[in-house]
Amino acid sequence: MDSEPRELVESIERNGANGSLVSALEDIQAQYRYLPRDAMILVSERLGVPLSQVYSVATFYHAFSLVPRGKQTISVCAGTACHVRGAVQILNRLESTLGVGAGGTTRDRRFTLETVNCLGCCALGPVLVLDDENEGQMTTTKVDKWLKRAMRQVEPVLRPSCAVRRP
Ligand code: FES
């Protein structure tokens, strides 16, 4: 990693003063959309917390990711009602169009595709969610149009990865 963003260090030091490992990791996750390994090492050093503890917290909470995530998350409901109404076909279509499987992130870092359990709106199944926006009664035809629209709204991530230089 090439350079250490000042904001990241300031954030770690600020949170370190408060002794909050979770807050430091939240800041890094918000900035990079994942927790780069070098950033976790830096947090460990700056907060004086064993690296194993940093990893323990980072892997405990679902909100943290150890791999790069997309700018936006597409969640396909894999609950029973959506499953019987064709969620698998919707997921397959998204996987083939985006070129990633469930749990993966597109190469341009625009989207992370994942499956989720019942979203509580089964009557609208199959349902998918783009960040907080639900789309119901999906069909493979409808999902193609929906995805084209989503792609127009989300710019690719130009910076390919976190750039953190350890001191
Ligand atoms: S099973 Fe998909 S919303 Fe309930």
Side-chain angles (χ1 to χ4, degrees):
M1 298 190 173
D2 303 328
S3 64
E4 181 177 357
R6 190 185 324 161
E7 311 90 68
L8 176 61
V9 175
E10 288 171 355
S11 166
I12 291 168
E13 289 173 344
R14 187 175 62 246
N15 287 305
N18 296 330
S20 175
L21 171 59
V22 172
S23 296
L25 295 180
E26 283 175 339
D27 285 355
I28 295 166
Q29 175 79 36
Q31 185 168 346
Y32 298 109
R33 291 184 294 281
Y34 81 111
L35 301 176
R37 183 178 180 277
D38 282 0
M40 289 200 289
I41 292 170
L42 188 61
V43 166
S44 168
E45 292 170 355
R46 294 293 175 98
L47 299 186
V49 173
L51 186 57
S52 59
Q53 189 178 338
V54 176
Y55 269 95
S56 177
V57 170
T59 54
F60 180 80
Y61 292 104
H62 182 69
F64 295 132
S65 175
L66 300 185
V67 294
R69 290 184 61 85
K71 269 183 165 178
Q72 297 204 292
T73 300
I74 300 172
S75 306
V76 178
C77 179
T80 305
C82 288
H83 179 81
V84 299
R85 291 178 176 168
V88 172
Q89 288 79 13
I90 302 301
L91 180 62
N92 289 343
R93 188 63 145 248
L94 287 168
E95 287 177 334
S96 64
T97 307
L98 293 172
V100 293
T105 297
T106 57
R107 290 178 61 129
D108 61 8
R109 302 261 178 96
R110 282 202 266 193
F111 301 104
T112 292
L113 179 64
E114 64 183 20
T115 58
V116 292
N117 294 323
C118 179
L119 294 162
C121 49
C122 309
L124 297 176
V127 177
L128 59 79
V129 182
L130 180 64
D131 286 338
D132 293 330
E133 203 170 306
N134 286 15
E135 274 305 318
Q137 300 177 327
M138 271 291 161
T139 62
T140 48
T141 307
K142 199 171 161 185
V143 82
D144 289 342
K145 290 178 186 164
W146 176 87
L147 188 56
K148 274 184 189 164
R149 196 172 59 243
M151 287 174 137
R152 282 196 298 269
Q153 293 171 353
V154 183
E155 294 291 321
V157 176
L158 299 177
R159 185 176 58 185
S161 64
C162 162
V164 177
R165 184 183 64 230
R166 298 179 56 222

